[in-house]
Amino acid sequence: MNKKPVLQLRAALAFFILFFAVIARAQPDITPFQPGGWSDKVVVTTNPNSLTNTPTLYTTNQIYVDWAVINSGNATASTTFYVDLYTNGVYVTSWPIGNLPPNYYTDVSQPGFGVGQFPAGTNTIELVADATDVYETPPSTYTRTFTVLAPILPPLSAPVLISPANGSTNQSTSPVFTWSAVSNAASYEIIVATNAADLPANTNATSGGASVMIDAGVTNNTTYTPVNPLDPGTKYYWQVNARFASEGGPWSSTWNYTTANPPPGLTILPVFDSTITSDPMAATIESTINAAIAVYQSDFSDPITISITFKEMSGGLGESSWSYNTYSYSAYRAALVAAATTPDDSTALAYLPVQTDNPVNSNQNVNVKTVLAWDLGLNSGTSGENVGTVYLNTSIMNLSDAQTGANEYSLFSTACHEIDEVLATGSALDQVYHGGNTATGPVLPEDLFRYDLPGNRSYSTNINATSYFSLDGTNDLVQFNQVGSGDFGDWYSYYGGVVPQVQDAVATPDTSPNLGVELRVLDVLGYHLVTQESAPHFVSAIRSGNTINLVWTAMSGSSYQLVYSTNLNLSAWNDLGSSITASNSTASYAATIGPDKQRFYRVELLPGSAQNIKFNRLRVVTPPTGWGTNMFSPYQP
């Protein structure tokens, strides 16, 4: 703000004012003022550097305000007074004015003060000079009234939905939603719900009902992939509309699809404590936790059924408790050999020496979490056995993809973090740091893969140590946390500067990290990661007379279905013959060419067709050796 003088009046008038001041008490007079070259005492404009009112305003405009107040009295306003600004009767902000001589004015202009967007219709901006009655009672005010119009929109048509196909089943829990481009669209909005009645009908609606799981804006794209997986075995309804500025065009038709159930294997049954079931957002919280569980059930083929209790808490971010058993290093390594199924397993075992003592601190034993011991056949378990408890501070979390609160944390990622630790991850260095174990005591399985920079195994709580999770001591997959205020079995994040991951020691707000290296870690610790089959693709299509021979890539033992259509835009395609089970790296089908002028072919991998993994188990009953706890903290600026 600048204090500026008003042009001096004629000398005679100045004398009169001076003479009047002798017989009347000198007093400042603070009032709104229109300086020369301004179009009003309060200028309402879309240009922050303009002093002229913008004649036509729309709801999409960002609006700026210029204002000025003058001391038209005969004494300096030396005591601080305030100028308040209101929009539509609502207080916005104040400016303190510390010293204003007579015939000087102060202003906010070039740039003007941003007051955002306004609704269509009549609006007001009120300037209150000397708002706290230092010199004026009542204070002097000025109200600027102006009209805002709805924007003139270009024509927008409804998008045409493309995939997932309407009425389709066995879809991925992380589908790629696609739709057609719309002319003049600046962005799109996609809404996905489990109840069709919760999808909005109004073109300007930006949210739906209680069952909405996704409500996302998409800019410069006609595809969307959910940040977090959806529930398996669930029917979803979805629609999209095109948008220009803050206005929406007509919604697309409503399509539905159903996600696939996870293949037989690891089953996690959630037990929701009353702290969750009594929460007003219980349905959303439980749905997101189930979505997290679905990732483990679809990615691991271990044939065990366990339960985990989930509770709410009021501090921190997440916490888990679990029991463990103590086994010899040689017994644990032998169990890993029997369970090895992936290339990562083979690499890890090649660098786990065959010896009596563990290669970390030469102790003969390893503390193995109860559920992992059961999965490896080191101990017996009961189907549905509760193996741990997860605590979640949902009050500081975005509870689903539909919630995008700034500075909030992802419930999905936090649930995954704690499930990882109940299943297997973690370091015995936490017990060492807190005095519950010694540096020469039993380690946890993850400690077997803790290396420092030279490729030597590292086992230290020194904050200056640097250690990595590595299968071979050379290729580092992720850096470990080395700060005692976090878990030593988590990933480095205490000092920031890294891409957020699920197993970070300190969570990053306003992010939604998904499982990545964590799945590989669980695999090498003893779980069985499902090898994902790549999508089949055609190798050749050779016509001979009235027959076309189609050949595609395949995996031996998997089943495929060839389908055809005469129109690429149709959502339903026709089966061509029966399913075909591949016996080698390719499969083929000889199709008779029909009377159609054109025909399109597609090959689909049938779900659940891969061969099951076989397990050899040794059953030994061993009571838990002890209990442990892991803490997960939010970022503290």
Side-chain angles (χ1 to χ4, degrees):
M1 294 184 290
N2 299 311
K3 300 182 180 67
K4 303 176 182 179
V6 177
L7 293 174
Q8 296 295 320
L9 302 178
R10 292 197 306 267
L13 179 59
F15 172 78
F16 172 77
I17 293 174
L18 179 61
F19 176 75
F20 181 80
V22 172
I23 61 175
R25 183 173 64 90
Q27 177 71 21
D29 183 15
I30 312 299
T31 59
F33 177 65
Q34 181 178 346
W38 289 39
S39 62
D40 208 319
K41 296 177 182 179
V42 172
V43 175
V44 178
T45 175
T46 58
N47 181 352
N49 296 308
S50 173
L51 297 174
T52 303
N53 289 320
T54 299
T56 306
L57 299 170
Y58 295 99
T59 57
T60 53
N61 291 144
Q62 296 290 331
I63 293 178
Y64 301 87
V65 170
D66 303 291
W67 61 261
V69 296
I70 189 172
N71 179 3
S72 57
N74 54 9
T76 296
S78 57
T79 301
T80 298
F81 63 91
Y82 288 84
V83 176
D84 288 359
L85 187 73
Y86 290 78
T87 61
N88 290 331
V90 178
Y91 169 80
V92 177
T93 191
S94 294
W95 290 269
I97 313 298
N99 184 66
L100 190 62
N103 296 320
Y104 276 73
Y105 71 90
T106 184
D107 68 307
V108 168
S109 64
Q110 296 180 318
F113 177 73
V115 288
Q117 296 174 321
F118 282 76
T122 301
N123 295 271
T124 61
I125 292 179
E126 182 182 14
L127 188 70
V128 181
D130 191 13
T132 53
D133 299 338
V134 176
Y135 301 108
E136 308 293 337
T137 305
S140 180
T141 66
Y142 180 80
T143 300
R144 171 83 164 82
T145 301
F146 57 97
T147 301
V148 175
L149 305 175
I152 301 174
L153 295 178
L156 294 172
S157 59
V160 176
L161 304 185
I162 298 175
S163 67
N166 192 26
S168 59
T169 58
N170 292 320
Q171 293 293 320
S172 167
T173 55
S174 295
V176 179
F177 294 98
T178 61
W179 55 89
S180 66
V182 173
S183 297
N184 302 316
S187 64
Y188 300 89
E189 182 170 9
I190 177 173
I191 296 184
V192 182
T194 56
N195 185 345
D198 286 334
L199 296 177
N202 187 329
T203 57
N204 286 320
T206 56
S207 62
S211 72
V212 169
M213 301 304 299
I214 295 174
D215 184 351
V218 180
T219 304
N220 299 324
N221 208 342
T222 55
T223 67
Y224 176 79
T225 302
V227 176
N228 297 324
L230 299 171
D231 292 343
T234 303
K235 190 172 187 177
Y236 287 96
Y237 301 85
W238 65 292
Q239 62 183 18
V240 179
N241 78 346
R243 306 191 71 81
F244 182 86
S246 60
E247 305 298 318
W251 287 98
S252 68
S253 59
T254 299
W255 278 18
N256 71 81
Y257 72 97
T258 303
T259 52
N261 283 305
L266 177 63
T267 300
I268 301 175
L269 306 175
V271 178
F272 297 114
D273 181 75
S274 60
T275 53
I276 290 180
T277 58
S278 62
D279 191 303
M281 296 297 292
T284 302
I285 294 170
E286 293 176 15
S287 177
T288 299
I289 292 174
N290 283 326
I293 289 173
V295 175
Y296 297 89
Q297 295 187 149
S298 62
D299 284 351
F300 292 100
S301 59
D302 306 76
I304 60 174
T305 298
I306 60 174
S307 67
I308 298 175
T309 298
F310 293 86
K311 295 184 177 182
E312 290 190 21
M313 65 179 186
S314 58
L317 183 61
E319 183 178 327
S320 62
S321 63
W322 32 265
S323 61
Y324 61 86
N325 300 89
T326 301
Y327 301 97
S328 68
Y329 165 72
S330 57
Y332 174 66
R333 188 187 184 283
L336 290 182
V337 171
T341 57
T342 65
D344 277 352
D345 289 337
S346 299
T347 301
L349 287 169
Y351 290 87
L352 285 179
V354 180
Q355 59 190 45
T356 302
D357 299 339
N358 77 62
V360 179
N361 64 356
S362 299
N363 189 285
Q364 291 187 351
N365 296 321
V366 178
N367 289 334
V368 183
K369 295 186 179 181
T370 299
V371 59
L372 178 59
W374 176 21
D375 184 56
L376 288 170
L378 294 169
N379 195 2
S380 290
T382 303
S383 181
E385 177 180 342
N386 193 283
V387 297
T389 301
V390 168
Y391 302 85
L392 302 163
N393 184 2
T394 58
S395 67
I396 58 173
M397 295 181 185
N398 286 317
L399 304 181
S400 71
D401 279 357
Q403 296 185 0
T404 56
N407 299 318
E408 301 292 292
Y409 299 86
S410 166
L411 171 59
F412 176 85
S413 295
T414 305
C416 289
H417 180 110
E418 303 304 334
I419 292 172
D420 287 341
E421 292 176 347
V422 170
L423 293 178
T425 63
S427 171
L429 284 175
D430 294 317
Q431 296 167 307
V432 174
Y433 184 81
H434 294 291
N437 194 356
T438 65
T440 57
V443 299
L444 285 178
E446 196 175 66
D447 293 321
L448 298 172
F449 303 95
R450 194 181 193 98
Y451 288 85
D452 61 20
L453 283 174
N456 301 309
R457 281 185 168 86
S458 172
Y459 194 64
S460 171
T461 60
N462 188 329
I463 192 174
N464 295 315
T466 303
S467 56
Y468 297 86
F469 184 96
S470 176
L471 304 180
D472 56 11
T474 301
N475 298 294
D476 302 324
L477 301 186
V478 66
Q479 184 176 346
F480 277 114
N481 171 62
Q482 202 65 37
V483 181
S485 57
D487 290 333
F488 287 90
D490 289 343
W491 311 150
Y492 167 89
S493 64
Y494 187 85
Y495 297 106
V498 293
V499 176
Q501 299 183 81
V502 164
Q503 219 57 35
D504 285 347
V506 178
T508 303
D510 201 25
T511 60
S512 297
N514 288 320
L515 290 163
V517 69
E518 293 86 359
L519 298 178
R520 297 179 66 185
V521 171
L522 290 172
D523 176 47
V524 299
L525 297 186
Y527 289 93
H528 299 81
L529 188 63
V530 175
T531 302
Q532 300 295 326
E533 295 187 54
S534 59
H537 63 270
F538 286 111
V539 176
S540 62
I542 301 175
R543 179 176 178 176
S544 177
N546 201 37
T547 300
I548 184 169
N549 192 59
L550 301 165
V551 181
W552 61 90
T553 59
M555 179 174 288
S556 180
S558 294
S559 297
Y560 301 86
Q561 178 64 57
L562 195 66
V563 295
Y564 74 93
S565 176
T566 57
N567 188 337
L568 279 175
N569 293 322
L570 294 179
S571 58
W573 289 46
N574 303 304
D575 288 348
L576 191 60
S578 301
S579 63
I580 297 171
T581 301
S583 57
N584 50 48
S585 60
T586 61
S588 63
Y589 184 86
T592 300
I593 299 175
D596 304 317
K597 293 183 178 180
Q598 62 178 5
R599 180 177 284 189
F600 302 92
Y601 296 92
R602 188 169 68 197
V603 61
E604 300 175 347
L605 171 66
L606 297 180
S609 63
Q611 295 180 344
N612 293 326
I613 297 174
K614 301 297 191 295
F615 300 90
N616 295 318
R617 297 183 172 278
L618 173 66
R619 295 294 186 187
V620 182
V621 178
T622 307
T625 305
W627 287 84
T629 301
N630 282 98
M631 308 290 187
F632 187 28
S633 301
Y635 169 74
Q636 298 294 334

